[in-house]
Amino acid sequence: MGTIKISNIRVYAYHGCLVEEGKIGSDYRIDLKVKANLKPSAKSDNLADTVDYVHLNRIVKEEMAIRTKLLETVAKLILDRILLEIPIVNEAKIKVSKLNPPIGGNVEMVSIIMNQKR
């Protein structure tokens, strides 16, 4: 078993419960970790035998582009797609952070963390 991490994926998206958030948008940070059997790819040196992190990044960007009210919802959609589209992934963990959230205070970010196993 091995782990692939992608840290600090930055996207601009329109998630949130407030109408203004859907119009103005906000900056987001996504950290992703997936677990898979990486021994075959270590032996073969073949991209087809591993988890392509370009594919992971594309899933994150595509799902973040679809507006949701809750960070939990978009995180679940990303996890579902990873497990659906990348069969060798056994487990995925995601942290979705909204930077400078509009919560009436000086807050750097709010984050949710979710994980899902096959």
Side-chain angles (χ1 to χ4, degrees):
M1 193 64 59
T3 301
I4 294 176
K5 292 170 114 177
I6 303 178
S7 301
N8 203 16
I9 301 169
R10 296 289 184 125
V11 296
Y12 196 85
Y14 299 87
H15 304 290
C17 294
L18 302 175
V19 174
E20 295 81 18
E21 291 175 298
K23 294 177 182 175
I24 299 168
S26 188
D27 289 305
Y28 292 83
R29 172 187 171 162
I30 296 89
D31 298 294
L32 187 61
K33 179 167 73 170
V34 298
K35 292 186 178 185
N37 182 359
L38 301 179
K39 289 181 182 177
S41 60
K43 218 174 183 184
S44 72
D45 197 31
N46 187 342
L47 181 60
D49 294 333
T50 192
V51 179
D52 183 353
Y53 44 82
V54 173
H55 189 174
L56 291 172
N57 189 54
R58 184 173 57 249
I59 290 171
V60 168
K61 287 186 174 189
E62 288 173 1
E63 292 301 325
M64 287 297 292
I66 302 168
R67 178 167 161 66
T68 64
K69 291 181 182 175
L70 301 178
L71 298 181
E72 294 89 327
T73 304
V74 72
K76 176 79 166 100
L77 292 169
I78 292 168
L79 293 173
D80 287 345
R81 266 194 70 190
I82 289 169
L83 293 177
L84 177 69
E85 295 181 19
I86 309 173
I88 71 165
V89 171
N90 296 316
E91 183 177 351
K93 182 176 184 177
I94 190 167
K95 178 179 175 183
V96 179
S97 302
K98 180 183 281 192
L99 307 179
N100 302 310
I103 60 174
N106 186 10
V107 178
E108 181 181 359
M109 73 176 88
V110 294
S111 304
I112 62 97
I113 300 171
M114 294 177 70
N115 68 309
Q116 193 165 319
K117 294 181 181 181
R118 190 168 296 287

